[in-house]
Amino acid sequence: MNQNAMLNFIPLILMFVVFYFFVIRPQKKKANEINEMRENLKVGDKIITIGGIIGKIILVKEDYLVIETSSDNTKIEVMKWGINGTYKKNADLKDAEEE
């Protein structure tokens, strides 16, 4: 009976292992990459926020940064967690042309 009970747990264990390698691990890796990118932001970088605002960083603080969004010198304070990524106009155009 003891051996039969162990055989019943094998599919459950296999499902957890598959779930870990296909869902949890890639998600953690992507989160680490995003956090690293946010920590390495510096003055002069062009960024895009989660809301789609594009701007150039003019001041970096511990938890937030200040971006300039237009030629009118409009300044916006943005929390670091609100940064989606860096923005490179030429690279984005090349990617769109390839698709």
Side-chain angles (χ1 to χ4, degrees), residues 1 3 19 35 53 60-61 68-69 79 89:
M1 199 68 179
Q3 192 175 25
F19 186 75
N35 286 335
I53 298 171
V60 178
K61 292 290 184 175
E68 189 174 73
T69 60
M79 298 300 292
K89 192 172 185 178

Side-chain angles (χ1 to χ4, degrees), residues 37-75:
M37 178 270 306
R38 289 176 180 157
E39 291 300 319
N40 293 326
L41 291 173
K42 59 188 178 304
V43 174
D45 287 350
K46 286 193 82 172
I47 55 104
I48 185 165
T49 67
I50 291 173
I53 298 171
I54 298 171
K56 186 170 94 173
I57 299 174
I58 58 172
L59 177 69
V60 178
K61 292 290 184 175
E62 187 174 329
D63 294 335
Y64 72 96
L65 37 96
V66 178
I67 62 172
E68 189 174 73
T69 60
S70 67
S71 61
D72 296 334
N73 295 331
T74 305
K75 295 176 178 68

Side-chain angles (χ1 to χ4, degrees), residues 48 54 86-99:
I48 185 165
I54 298 171
T86 56
Y87 181 76
K88 296 179 181 85
K89 192 172 185 178
N90 294 336
D92 290 341
L93 290 175
K94 287 179 186 175
D95 290 342
E97 290 173 359
E98 290 175 1
E99 293 176 3

